[in-house]
Amino acid sequence: MTKTTHPTADRPRALAKARRGQPAKHRGLRTAVFGVAAAAIAVAALALVATRLLPTGPVATGAVRVQASMGGFQPAAMTVKAGSAVRIELTSTDTSFHSDGGGWHEMAIDELGIDWKVGPQSSKVFEFSAPTTPGTYTWYCGICCGGRANPSMQGKLTVTA
Ligand SMILES: [Cu+2]
């Protein structure tokens, strides 16, 4: 026996080297995971902001844009001429993630037989003939936030002579 050094004598050094190498690798992984998470959060935040900015495109030809969200209607009042043809572009600016109504909103006027519904983050154009006699009507959304009883989910249609 001439060899005095055990074959695995330098094992601790190898282990130490491996341990030194490991954290760097894990740090890289952690950075990657954090980066992906941060990017996902940024995208989610942008999506939320985007829902507030919708819609950005031009309104449908000859239509009045009415935006509906959990906060109410915008505008919440409209004046039309008696007997006139009215086009309304109804838009829901809410996402489907809303637990109350799933982003759906409604514009209903019982007296005029109007009951229009629009899905999350979408627009739809509706047409109707204004009544021939002047008056005021209340429109409402019965889908979200307590439905018809909720004063913020209402609007006023004024029909003038
Ligand atoms: Cu609603």
Side-chain angles (χ1 to χ4, degrees):
M1 263 227 189
T2 49
K3 219 169 181 189
T4 49
T5 319
H6 195 269
T8 56
D10 59 347
R11 193 193 254 170
R13 242 178 44 204
L15 278 176
K17 197 179 168 195
R19 253 185 253 117
R20 265 201 311 277
Q22 228 171 19
K25 222 192 269 172
H26 281 197
R27 232 178 286 133
L29 183 67
R30 250 180 266 133
T31 305
V33 167
F34 179 81
V36 168
I41 290 166
V43 167
L46 276 174
L48 277 174
V49 169
T51 65
R52 292 291 135 204
L53 301 176
L54 272 178
T56 50
V59 69
T61 311
V64 176
R65 176 173 282 158
V66 176
Q67 289 184 55
S69 74
M70 296 296 262
F73 290 100
Q74 182 98 40
M78 195 187 304
T79 301
V80 297
K81 233 175 152 40
S84 65
V86 180
R87 274 164 71 85
I88 290 173
E89 186 188 279
L90 183 61
T91 300
S92 169
T93 59
D94 285 335
T95 67
S96 57
F97 299 112
H98 281 280
S99 54
D100 195 3
W104 280 82
H105 290 287
E106 176 187 29
M107 188 171 179
I109 305 174
D110 292 346
E111 302 93 315
L112 304 181
I114 288 172
D115 184 7
W116 304 325
K117 293 182 176 83
V118 68
Q121 289 188 296
S122 62
S123 298
K124 222 166 166 183
V125 177
F126 299 95
E127 291 175 44
F128 81 108
S129 292
T132 50
T133 51
T136 57
Y137 302 85
T138 298
W139 80 69
Y140 66 91
C141 169
I143 296 174
C144 63
C145 321
R148 200 178 176 171
N150 180 0
S152 71
M153 275 321 290
Q154 290 186 359
K156 188 187 270 183
L157 176 74
T158 303
V159 180
T160 57

